[in-house]
Amino acid sequence: MTEYMNSKIGEAAGALYHRLEEGECSLNQIKNHLNSNGFDSQMALMAVGWLAREDKIVLNRGSNRWSVRLNE
């Protein structure tokens, strides 16, 4: 991975983390939030992966959607 991509994913993960401080989100809400901050949907999913790898978030699958919240 290039240093640039690593940096952009980290920026997206930071923006996502700050959003999740406000409360739980669906993946669609995450994509919309990050899109409004200049990140595409693929970058949003990479940010989710980044935070999951760092054990910062909890992913839950409901009947029709995934939800994401900060790990307490």
Side-chain angles (χ1 to χ4, degrees), residues 15-25 33 68-70:
L16 172 55
Y17 187 90
H18 291 299
R19 169 55 187 91
L20 290 172
E21 288 178 318
E22 299 172 18
E24 184 174 295
C25 291
H33 174 73
V68 181
R69 65 176 172 80
L70 290 180

Side-chain angles (χ1 to χ4, degrees), residues 27-41:
L27 284 180
N28 282 335
Q29 290 171 317
I30 289 169
K31 289 177 184 179
N32 290 336
H33 174 73
L34 289 179
N35 186 264
S36 70
N37 285 281
F39 300 103
D40 65 19
S41 62

